[in-house]
C-alpha cells in the first residue's frame, strides 16, 4: 500500500519552509496533531494524578493512554511501559539497576555496531561492579556472530545490542542473538531507537527482555520509552524515594511525570498508525499496515538515492551495504570534507548532517577517521528531495 505523501506532508508545518530534511535518525519533524495534544494537556485542568477531580483525572488519563499506546506500538503489556527523559537516560538508569546484582567474575557482552548510549552506560556500570566486558565484533557493516559465540559464556549476565544501527542502518539478527544469550542465562537489552521508526516492533518476537526507543524519532516529543515484561520488571529493584510508589512501572519513573510529553508521545503513535491504516480495527493492526506502507515508500527512496550515488562513481564511498538495513545511508567523499558538504547543502535548504553521530565503536571498527555524511530518510521525504540532494552533492564534488 502506498500512501499519499503530499497529504502526509500537509500535517507538518515545518515542511512549509522548503527545507529537505534528511536527518531522520537524529529526530523527525513534528505534525500538528502532536503539538496540539501537548498544548491541550498543558492548558486543561491538570494536577498530580488521582481520581478526586477533573485535574487529577486528566493527569491519570494522560499516563494511562501513554502506556496503552506504547504497549500497542511495541507489543508489550501497558504495565511494562516506562517513561524516561531519553533512551540514554533510561539505559543509564537500568545499567545501574541491573549492575546491583552483578559480581566480580561476571561478564557482559556489547557490540561494535552501537550508538554510544548502548555502550558507555554498560561499560561504566561493569567497571564499578568489577565485571568484564566482551565484544561482538564487526565484519564489514554486519555483526560477526562467530565472535559473539566466543564472547558468550555461563558467566554472561547481559547482552546489549542494537536493533538497527543509527549510522549504517544495519539490522542485525536480534532474535538469533537473543536466543543464544538466553541459552547462556543472560538478559538481552535492545536499543530500538533507530529501528522503531521503520519497522513494526515486536519486543517478545525480537527476544528482547528490555527495549528502548525515542518518540522524537517518529514524530513525537523529546522523551524516551523502555518496554519489558512486567514480571521481569518486578524483579528489578531501583534506588528510589521511600514514599514513592513501588509498583511497576512507576518505581522506575522518578518524580512527577511530564503529562504534556506523554500526551504528545501518545499522539505520535496515533499519527503513525493513521498514515496508511488499511482495514485495521485495532491500533496494533493499523500500525502494522502503516509501517508496511512506510517501509515500501522508504525503500523506493533509498533505492533512488543509492542509484544516484552510484552514478557519482569513486567520488562517493557508501558504507551502508548490509543486506538488511533501514533507509539510512552513510557515505564518505573522496578527498573532500563531509562537514563542508553539509554546509554547501544547507545553503540550498538541504539538511544532511555530517559527523560520527555518537557511533564511536562502528567508526573506530571501520577506521573512519573523518566526519561522514549521513542521509536518513523519513516518511515525509519525497523523490524530488532525493534529486535535490543528489544535484547539490554533485555540485559540491565538482
Amino acid at each position: 500500500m502506498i500512501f499519499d505523501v503530499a497529504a502526509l506532508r500537509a500535517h507538518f508545518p515545518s515542511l512549509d519552509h522548503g527545507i529537505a530534511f534528511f536527518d531522520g535518525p537524529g529526530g523527525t519533524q513534528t505534525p500538528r496533531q502532536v503539538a496540539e495534544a501537548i498544548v491541550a494537556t498543558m492548558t486543561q485542568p491538570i494536577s498530580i494524578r488521582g481520581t478526586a477531580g477533573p485535574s487529577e483525572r486528566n493527569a491519570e488519563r494522560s499516563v494511562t493512554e501513554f502506556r496503552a499506546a506504547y504497549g500497542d506500538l511495541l507489543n508489550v503489556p501497558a504495565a511494562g511501559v516506562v517513561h524516561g527523559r531519553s533512551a540514554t537516560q533510561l539505559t543509564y538508569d537500568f545499567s545501574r539497576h541491573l549492575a546491583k546484582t552483578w559480581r566480580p567474575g561476571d561478564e557482559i557482552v556489547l557490540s561494535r555496531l552501537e550508538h554510544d548510549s548502548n555502550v558507555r552506560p554498560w561499560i561504566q556500570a561493569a567497571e564499578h561492579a568489577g565485571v568484564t566486558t566482551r565484544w561482538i565484533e564487526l565484519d564489514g557493516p554486519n555483526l560477526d556472530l562467530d565472535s559473539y559465540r566466543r564472547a558468550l559464556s555461563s558467566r554472561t549476565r547481559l547482552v546489549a545490542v542494537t536493533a538497527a544501527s543509527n549510522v549504517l542502518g544495519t539490522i542485525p539478527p536480534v532474535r538469533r542473538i537473543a536466543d543464544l544469550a538466553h541459552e547462556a542465562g543472560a538478559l538481552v537489552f535492545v536499543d530500538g531507537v533507530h529501528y522503531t521508526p521503520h519497522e513494526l516492533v515486536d519486543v517478545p518476537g525480537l527476544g528482547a527482555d528490555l527495549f528502548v526507543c525515542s518518540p522524537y524519532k517518529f514524530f513525537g516529543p523529546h522523551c524516551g520509552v523502555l518496554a519489558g515484561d512486567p514480571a521481569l520488571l518486578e524483579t528489578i529493584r531501583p534506588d528510589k524515594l521511600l514514599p514513592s510508589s513501588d509498583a511497576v512501572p512507576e518505581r522506575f519513573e522518578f518524580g512527577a511525570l511530564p503529562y504534556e510529553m506523554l500526551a504528545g508521545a501518545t499522539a505520535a503513535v496515533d499519527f503513525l498508525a493513521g498514515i496508511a491504516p488499511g482495514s485495521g480495527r485495532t491500533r496494533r493492526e493499523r500500525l502494522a499496515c502503516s509501517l508496511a506502507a512506510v517501509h515500501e515508500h522508504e525503500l523506493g527512496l533509498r533505492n533512488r538515492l543509492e542509484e544516484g550515488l552510484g552514478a557519482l562513481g569513486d567520488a562517493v564511498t557508501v558504507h551502508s551495504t548490509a543486506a538488511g538495513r533501514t533507509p539510512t545511508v552513510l557515505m564518505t567523499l573522496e578527498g573532500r570534507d563531509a562537514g563542508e558538504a553539509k554546509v554547501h547543502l544547507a545553503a540550498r535548504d538541504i539538511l544532511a548532517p555530517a559527523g560520527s553521530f555518537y557511533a564511536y565503536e562502528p567508526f573506530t571498527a571501520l577506521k573512519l577517521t573523518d566526519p561522514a555524511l549521513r542521509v536518513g530518510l523519513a516518511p515525509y521525504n519525497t523523490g524530488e528531495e532525493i534529486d535535490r540532494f543528489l544535484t547539490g552533492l554533485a555540485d559540491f564534488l565538482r
Side-chain angles (χ1 to χ4, degrees):
M1 176 187 296
I2 294 294
F3 58 90
D4 186 336
V5 180
L8 178 74
R9 289 173 62 87
H11 295 291
F12 293 82
S14 63
L15 299 184
D16 294 340
H17 294 268
I19 301 170
F21 291 97
F22 292 116
D23 60 338
T28 53
Q29 302 303 296
T30 306
R32 286 186 183 86
Q33 291 89 328
V34 169
E36 289 168 354
I38 293 170
V39 171
T41 301
M42 295 187 76
T43 54
Q44 69 182 348
I46 199 81
S47 63
I48 296 299
R49 297 160 61 187
T51 59
S55 63
E56 291 186 353
R57 290 193 293 270
N58 287 339
E60 185 66 39
R61 185 175 63 253
S62 72
V63 177
T64 301
E65 291 179 351
F66 164 77
R67 298 204 202 283
Y70 281 82
D72 289 345
L73 178 67
L74 306 176
N75 199 29
V76 297
V81 174
V82 180
H83 170 271
R85 187 182 66 80
S86 66
T88 299
Q89 175 252 306
L90 285 164
T91 306
Y92 261 114
D93 283 351
F94 275 78
S95 72
R96 290 187 285 264
H97 303 336
L98 296 175
K100 291 167 68 175
T101 67
W102 299 346
R103 299 293 178 265
D106 289 344
E107 298 176 353
I108 63 171
V109 177
L110 310 178
S111 102
R112 302 288 187 191
L113 194 59
E114 306 300 307
H115 185 288
D116 208 52
S117 65
N118 203 29
V119 173
R120 223 52 50 188
W122 302 114
I123 288 179
Q124 291 161 0
E127 288 174 347
H128 289 308
V131 168
T132 300
T133 299
R134 302 200 180 279
W135 292 93
I136 313 174
E137 303 293 345
L138 281 186
D139 179 11
N142 299 301
L143 288 180
D144 179 353
L145 294 189
D146 288 336
S147 72
Y148 175 50
R149 293 183 181 93
R150 291 192 296 270
L152 271 177
S153 76
S154 60
R155 299 182 298 277
T156 306
R157 295 294 170 260
L158 175 106
V159 175
V161 66
T162 186
S165 165
N166 73 307
V167 288
L168 297 172
T170 302
I171 299 176
V174 173
R175 183 59 199 236
R176 195 183 324 168
I177 290 168
D179 287 346
L180 291 170
H182 291 149
E183 289 174 12
L187 288 175
V188 177
F189 188 98
V190 175
D191 173 1
V193 171
H194 186 57
Y195 182 84
T196 306
H198 305 291
E199 303 288 338
L200 180 68
V201 177
D202 180 356
V203 170
L206 287 170
D209 295 300
L210 299 168
F211 180 99
V212 290
C213 65
S214 300
Y216 74 98
K217 310 290 186 175
F218 45 92
F219 315 133
H222 283 72
C223 62
V225 176
L226 179 139
D229 185 338
L232 171 64
L233 295 177
E234 289 283 359
T235 70
I236 301 173
R237 309 300 307 185
D239 294 328
K240 55 177 283 296
L241 301 182
L242 185 61
S244 64
S245 174
D246 195 42
V248 168
E250 281 85 356
R251 69 167 64 152
F252 303 106
E253 296 167 334
F254 307 129
L257 287 170
Y259 305 122
E260 69 279 5
M261 289 297 184
L262 301 186
T266 300
V269 173
D270 286 331
F271 184 85
L272 189 60
I275 289 177
S279 59
R281 295 185 178 181
T282 68
R283 181 161 48 194
R284 178 72 179 176
E285 290 170 344
R286 296 193 299 274
L287 283 163
C289 291
S290 290
L291 281 161
V294 165
H295 182 87
E296 184 178 353
H297 171 66
E298 292 178 337
L299 179 60
L301 293 179
R302 193 193 81 193
N303 289 340
R304 185 167 179 164
L305 171 64
E306 292 175 339
E307 181 179 345
L309 292 173
L312 296 176
D314 295 339
V316 177
T317 300
V318 173
H319 301 277
S320 302
T321 58
R325 60 190 188 277
T326 65
T328 297
V329 179
L330 186 77
M331 66 195 81
T332 48
L333 311 176
E334 182 63 31
R336 305 299 297 272
D337 186 284
E340 293 178 1
K342 170 191 171 180
V343 172
H344 175 88
L345 292 165
R348 290 153 179 78
D349 283 338
I350 301 166
L351 181 57
S356 58
F357 311 104
Y358 286 79
Y360 175 83
E361 298 299 336
F363 262 69
T364 301
L366 294 172
K367 298 181 172 58
L368 296 175
T369 57
D370 297 322
L373 199 65
R374 184 183 67 184
V375 174
L377 303 176
Y380 47 65
N381 286 130
T382 67
E384 182 272 335
E385 289 180 328
I386 296 290
D387 294 343
R388 281 175 58 194
F389 168 80
L390 291 168
T391 300
L393 183 61
D395 288 343
F396 173 77
L397 294 171
R398 285 195 180 97

